[in-house]
Amino acid sequence: MYPFVKQIKEELSQLADESIALNSQRFFKTGPGDYGEGDLFLGIRVPVLRKLIPQYKNTTLEQILELLKSPYHEERLFALFLLVGQFSKGSAEERKQRYHAYLGHTKYINNWDLVDTSAEHIVGAYLMARDRSPLYQLVRSKDLWERRIAVLATFYFIKRNEYQDTLQIAELLLNDSEDLIHKAVGWMLREIGKRNLKAEESFLRQHYQQMPRTMLRYAIEKFEEKKRQNYLYGRIPLGE
């Protein structure tokens, strides 16, 4: 183990709280058969982790990747915070290295918060001005978290008023079996609607009757009540 990684682990262990850890294990569904089965928690709140970022911002990529392989959720999350920070401030070559490192270690990015705090800022940011085919490889993965990475990466595009990849990925995931994918897609559709309601509703009017209920509810959450009820009860004409 790198000495710097050992130092980080020791500092995080001193911040551990057993009661928070127990709550986190329930919140992140770590029981048998759940999406986070077997995940281990130290019990450290996110704001506490974020306060440590400046202290360790110069951790090498190799050290970050070692930390990312930790069995403890908060250590993996902290590794991703460091990776995102370095990506955002890095040179073109450093950004390229961290993007490829991220996609090469997706097996450790294995819960929704780990994906949601990193995919947009690394995968989305890197692909903004590049070929986006890696997203379509991810979206066809058997791995739930890789599919969620594909969806959440497009949040970077949405914030810059580019919606096409999100809509194409949403269409590919209409029949996905995982509730966490339904929530992610619905969330991204809602974010499109905040910026361009016409674009969101054009997609909904084509697909809302076949969308999983959770996906639809997330997508229309901010609609005025009458319109929301019309979508929920199938009273919106298709394709208009």
Side-chain angles (χ1 to χ4, degrees), residues 73-195:
H73 188 101
E74 292 93 340
E75 291 182 355
R76 300 198 305 282
L77 182 58
F78 188 63
L80 290 168
F81 286 160
L82 294 176
L83 200 63
V84 167
Q86 291 186 0
F87 181 94
S88 67
K89 295 180 170 122
S91 65
E93 182 59 29
E94 287 168 339
R95 288 161 68 92
K96 179 180 178 180
Q97 290 173 353
R98 280 148 184 78
Y99 163 78
H100 286 292
Y102 183 93
L103 289 188
H105 291 79
T106 55
K107 66 182 289 187
Y108 305 105
I109 308 168
N110 58 353
N111 216 311
W112 59 264
D113 63 320
L114 304 180
V115 172
D116 296 3
T117 56
S118 60
E120 166 196 353
H121 303 293
I122 295 177
V123 180
Y126 188 77
L127 296 179
M128 181 68 197
R130 294 178 174 84
D131 172 29
R132 308 212 177 142
S133 59
L135 295 179
Y136 296 89
Q137 296 172 20
L138 289 168
V139 85
R140 292 181 173 87
S141 171
K142 293 181 180 179
D143 183 78
L144 157 65
W145 307 117
E146 289 193 342
R147 299 199 304 279
R148 190 165 173 117
I149 286 169
V151 180
L152 264 296
T154 70
F155 203 179
Y156 193 89
F157 310 153
I158 292 170
K159 289 177 177 178
R160 288 151 184 82
N161 299 313
E162 288 195 16
Y163 313 126
Q164 191 57 41
D165 287 291
T166 308
L167 296 173
Q168 289 180 16
I169 287 170
E171 190 169 14
L172 290 171
L173 292 172
L174 284 173
N175 297 314
D176 199 278
S177 62
E178 295 287 350
D179 190 61
L180 284 170
I181 296 299
H182 304 166
K183 291 177 179 178
V185 172
W187 173 20
M188 290 301 100
L189 291 173
R190 186 174 73 233
E191 290 296 332
I192 290 174
K194 288 179 182 178
R195 296 158 176 84

Side-chain angles (χ1 to χ4, degrees), residues 3-12 49 51-60 63-64 67 78 82 86:
F4 213 38
V5 174
K6 184 178 180 182
Q7 180 182 332
I8 294 172
K9 285 176 171 284
E10 288 175 350
E11 181 154 5
L12 293 181
L49 289 175
K51 285 181 181 178
L52 294 175
I53 293 172
Q55 181 180 343
Y56 293 106
K57 64 182 181 180
N58 294 323
T59 305
T60 67
Q63 291 168 338
I64 290 173
L67 190 63
F78 188 63
L82 294 176
Q86 291 186 0

Side-chain angles (χ1 to χ4, degrees), residues 190-237:
R190 186 174 73 233
E191 290 296 332
I192 290 174
K194 288 179 182 178
R195 296 158 176 84
N196 188 325
L197 186 58
K198 183 177 179 180
E200 181 190 7
E201 286 211 77
S202 177
F203 181 88
L204 291 177
R205 286 171 182 264
Q206 293 180 61
H207 301 294
Y208 85 97
Q209 289 190 355
Q210 72 181 100
M211 291 169 70
R213 204 67 168 173
T214 298
M215 187 186 295
L216 178 61
R217 286 185 179 278
Y218 269 62
I220 64 175
E221 184 179 28
K222 300 299 182 182
F223 286 9
E224 59 91 15
E225 185 62 18
K226 183 178 179 181
K227 182 190 285 188
R228 201 175 67 81
Q229 292 297 323
N230 284 338
Y231 272 106
L232 288 173
Y233 290 100
R235 296 192 289 258
I236 300 289

